Amino acid sequence: MSTAPAQAAHSRSVEQPDFEVVVIGAGFGGIGMGVELRKAGIHNFLIIDKNSDIGGTWQANTYPGVAVDIPSVYYSFSYEPPKVWSRMFAPGAEVKQYADQVVDKYGLRPRILLNTKVVGGEWDETNHLWRGKLDTGQEVSSRFVVGAVGGLEVPKMPEIEGIDSFGGKIVHTAQWDHDYDYTGKRIAVIGTGATALQLIPEMADIAAQLTVFQRRPIWVAPKPDFPIPAIAKDLMVNVGPLRRALRAAVTLGIDFGISGVGVFHSRIPGLVKLAQRGGGAMYRAQLPDDPELAQRLTPEYAPGCKRPSVSNRYLRTFTKDHVELVTDPIKKITKTGIVTADGVLRKADVLVCATGFRVMDKGYTPPYPLIGRDGLDLGEFWDRHHYQAYQGVTIPKFPNLFMITGPYGFAAGSYLAMIECTSRHAARAIKEARRRGATAVEIKQEPHDAYYAQCMRRGSKTMWLSDACEGSNTYYVNYQGDPAAIRPSTHLEMWWGNKHFPFNHYSFTQLPGRTGVVHTGELDEVRPASFTNDDLAEFFRTRRLSVRT
């Protein structure tokens, strides 16, 4: 019997990828992933982002009043203290500066391609690589792909009759128009979530009339915000033990106050009821002259059901003569304003949609088709079988694919703390694949299913699926009725699970005939701060790499 076919298969030519790793998204998720790749000794990577600058959420969200809603010391990477933050709760512009600080410190700019959108990706089983499709019509291939598209990525416009007929200015908070003059206008705001409570006091300062349409009220805690003295900032930047102690204290406080209460609600239901009564008393104390207004602003669901928020101005804004709180449902939008169910038309010049984002929503997470083994589409799989991922990072049948903000990956608290955990998970797996000479690494079905079962078991007992959160419409719970946006664990468990997962939870395989991973060119030459699609095409051509149009 001839052995020629077997020999030919053994010696067949295998396509080399353009990059070892492609990271989708240049927000903090992509930035954190780039840092972890650097630390792991992996330098042949490309970070792609559809926007004109880095920063993700903090590049897109520039509405008046935007700021972090947890203490700044916790909203940063543990390995890189922020040098620019001036307040206990850093304003958005300073968070964007911090993103620039990290990118420059770790030399990531030469690896970032802006103004380029990934519109799809497909696993190539023959060559063990991913083929990414760009909105330019080009294709970029890589051994590994990391999805670092954040949860607050796709703005959600309200689905209200007649919105397209409005004759004035319409703006979503994530697409703020700074060229428009809002001063002296009749401004209508739809939404009273975590974004709206930052924006509404700012709009009240400049509007001739401000009308706020509230579907559900929000819990707002006092904001212990103050300028950080220069000496304190220097100490936090230069004295590592002090900074770590402060971060640990904040982490423990959030773990107990948010994660602990939310996850272990069934064991301490009395604490949640006590917090709700205390919150109602606080609202009445802040609005002593108008108990009816206090009642309309007080949620009927428990604190913690929705994203926790802080403000010292929000509640009192509604006591101003030119500010109106409307709780009647919106019936339709006309050319001149908004009509509520009682038939009243409230005229407006500006319509501000503070209506959030599509989180774990069908067709939007991921916001592009990803095709794994056997033609399996990730979005369709999640839609049919519910959102799931091992440690929030990997899914069976999607080898060499990692996520930074995957389902059941975020223990409520700091997104940057979660990014550290999940990006280290991805870098650890990629580095181990390198060490073994593997061309594919894939989470095994059994450990994946065990993690998902644990999340479902715990999730069913969390506060977010209890009667305490009925009517809250929290984005923590998706359209399938699952709390997929939240990992039902403490921060410590999230950190430990991502840092110490057993390698035997993964399968490491190698293409037939390969004796090790061949790493493509290292891109070590100095490149401009960003490069265009034409530059990328030329870069590919000079390296004899594939550009498909």
Side-chain angles (χ1 to χ4, degrees):
M1 181 181 293
S2 172
T3 59
Q7 290 173 346
H10 182 78
S11 61
R12 67 184 174 86
S13 175
V14 176
E15 181 180 342
Q16 302 273 334
D18 300 331
F19 297 91
E20 189 169 3
V21 185
V22 163
V23 181
I24 306 172
F28 275 108
I31 292 169
M33 190 68 236
V35 172
E36 294 302 329
L37 290 171
R38 288 285 205 197
K39 289 181 177 180
I42 302 166
H43 305 291
N44 181 15
F45 62 86
L46 180 69
I47 302 173
I48 303 176
D49 197 284
K50 67 180 182 180
N51 295 311
S52 60
D53 198 0
I54 64 145
T57 295
W58 297 101
Q59 188 271 337
N61 287 267
T62 58
Y63 59 84
V66 61
V68 297
D69 50 13
I70 61 174
S72 302
V73 69
Y74 191 33
Y75 202 87
S76 60
F77 294 122
S78 63
Y79 51 78
E80 183 64 19
K83 299 177 181 178
V84 296
W85 291 1
S86 60
R87 304 190 65 84
M88 184 68 171
F89 291 80
E94 292 185 359
V95 183
K96 170 61 172 67
Q97 285 181 268
Y98 177 63
D100 288 317
Q101 172 189 325
V102 179
V103 163
D104 291 334
K105 170 73 175 291
Y106 292 90
L108 300 181
R109 288 197 193 274
R111 313 287 194 237
I112 299 175
L113 175 65
L114 300 171
N115 297 306
T116 304
K117 187 176 182 179
V118 174
V119 295
E122 185 169 359
W123 171 249
D124 180 342
E125 180 68 24
T126 301
N127 295 288
H128 278 194
L129 53 80
W130 279 92
R131 299 190 183 280
K133 298 178 182 178
L134 308 179
D135 60 353
T136 60
Q138 295 171 322
E139 178 182 283
V140 58
S141 61
S142 61
R143 182 73 67 208
F144 305 96
V145 168
V146 181
V149 178
L152 308 181
E153 164 66 12
V154 182
K156 185 176 184 179
M157 292 296 290
E159 298 176 357
I160 301 174
E161 178 188 346
I163 189 169
D164 294 333
S165 67
F166 182 65
K169 173 73 173 178
I170 299 180
V171 61
H172 191 281
T173 51
Q175 299 166 331
W176 198 257
D177 185 354
H178 290 274
D179 294 329
Y180 183 84
D181 186 5
Y182 301 84
T183 305
K185 301 293 195 301
R186 295 171 299 180
I187 301 175
V189 177
I190 298 178
T192 52
T195 294
L197 75 87
Q198 294 182 335
L199 174 74
I200 286 170
E202 303 293 330
M203 292 291 96
D205 288 345
I206 62 173
Q209 171 68 34
L210 178 65
T211 307
V212 178
F213 292 85
Q214 172 185 277
R215 182 170 58 169
R216 295 175 182 83
I218 186 173
W219 283 111
V220 184
K223 186 176 183 178
D225 192 25
F226 51 83
I228 299 175
I231 186 172
K233 185 163 65 174
D234 289 343
L235 286 172
M236 284 193 290
V237 170
N238 299 312
V239 183
L242 174 62
R243 183 177 68 257
R244 287 190 289 272
L246 288 172
R247 283 178 64 92
V250 174
T251 301
L252 287 173
I254 292 177
D255 249 4
F256 176 77
I258 300 177
S259 301
V261 173
V263 173
F264 302 108
H265 161 74
S266 60
R267 302 180 187 179
I268 47 174
L271 185 60
V272 174
K273 294 179 181 178
L274 180 63
Q276 189 167 357
R277 287 196 295 269
M282 181 187 68
Y283 273 43
R284 292 189 294 274
Q286 290 194 51
L287 301 168
D289 299 328
D290 196 336
E292 189 269 338
L293 175 63
Q295 183 178 6
R296 293 169 68 205
L297 286 168
T298 302
E300 295 182 356
Y301 56 85
C305 292
K306 304 183 76 168
R307 179 175 167 184
S309 303
V310 290
S311 175
N312 296 327
R313 302 178 59 198
Y314 176 74
L315 295 178
R316 292 190 178 92
T317 295
F318 293 98
T319 65
K320 296 182 177 182
D321 293 337
H322 71 296
V323 178
E324 180 186 8
L325 175 67
V326 179
T327 56
D328 289 313
I330 295 175
K331 180 180 180 180
K332 64 180 179 179
I333 296 175
T334 70
K335 183 177 181 180
T336 59
I338 300 177
V339 179
T340 46
D342 57 2
V344 175
L345 168 66
R346 292 173 174 83
K347 293 186 177 182
D349 304 307
V350 182
L351 176 58
V352 178
C353 300
T355 45
F357 302 84
R358 295 188 178 277
V359 181
M360 303 289 174
D361 203 351
K362 182 181 180 180
Y364 297 93
T365 307
Y368 39 72
L370 281 175
I371 311 300
R373 278 202 172 117
D374 304 325
L376 184 62
D377 181 278
L378 181 58
E380 292 180 1
F381 169 76
W382 277 341
D383 181 51
R384 292 196 306 267
H385 302 284
H386 295 240
Y387 284 78
Q388 51 189 284
Y390 175 70
Q391 302 288 343
V393 178
T394 51
I395 314 101
K397 296 200 177 218
F398 290 87
N400 294 3
L401 174 68
F402 304 90
M403 291 174 294
I404 301 301
T405 56
Y408 300 107
F410 172 50
S414 168
Y415 250 83
L416 269 67
M418 179 267 294
I419 288 167
E420 271 197 61
C421 294
T422 53
S423 60
R424 284 175 179 171
H425 182 136
R428 184 170 179 245
I430 294 171
K431 187 176 181 180
E432 181 64 12
R434 269 183 152 206
R435 189 188 70 80
R436 299 187 184 203
T439 50
V441 53
E442 180 180 359
I443 186 65
K444 296 177 181 177
Q445 194 71 48
E446 186 177 354
H448 168 274
D449 291 352
Y451 178 79
Y452 177 54
Q454 180 189 65
C455 289
M456 292 296 286
R457 185 173 60 254
R458 289 182 178 181
S460 65
K461 299 178 181 179
T462 61
M463 179 176 68
W464 304 296
L465 292 186
S466 72
D467 293 341
C469 291
E470 186 177 357
S472 65
N473 193 39
T474 175
Y475 73 73
Y476 292 164
V477 179
N478 71 356
Y479 70 98
Q480 298 163 317
D482 299 332
I486 293 291
R487 174 178 177 142
S489 77
T490 61
H491 173 94
L492 179 61
E493 187 177 355
M494 175 180 68
W495 172 81
W496 182 268
N498 283 287
K499 186 178 178 63
H500 298 286
F501 64 85
F503 284 127
N504 63 12
H505 282 187
Y506 281 90
S507 62
F508 295 85
T509 56
Q510 187 180 92
L511 281 169
R514 295 294 296 275
T515 57
V517 177
V518 178
H519 304 297
T520 54
E522 289 297 309
L523 294 178
D524 282 335
E525 71 276 16
V526 176
R527 300 193 62 80
S530 63
F531 46 103
T532 66
N533 294 318
D534 290 340
D535 294 330
L536 180 60
E538 179 62 26
F539 173 73
F540 282 177
R541 282 192 291 269
T542 58
R543 298 203 182 286
R544 295 188 178 88
L545 300 178
S546 58
V547 183
R548 293 170 173 80
T549 58

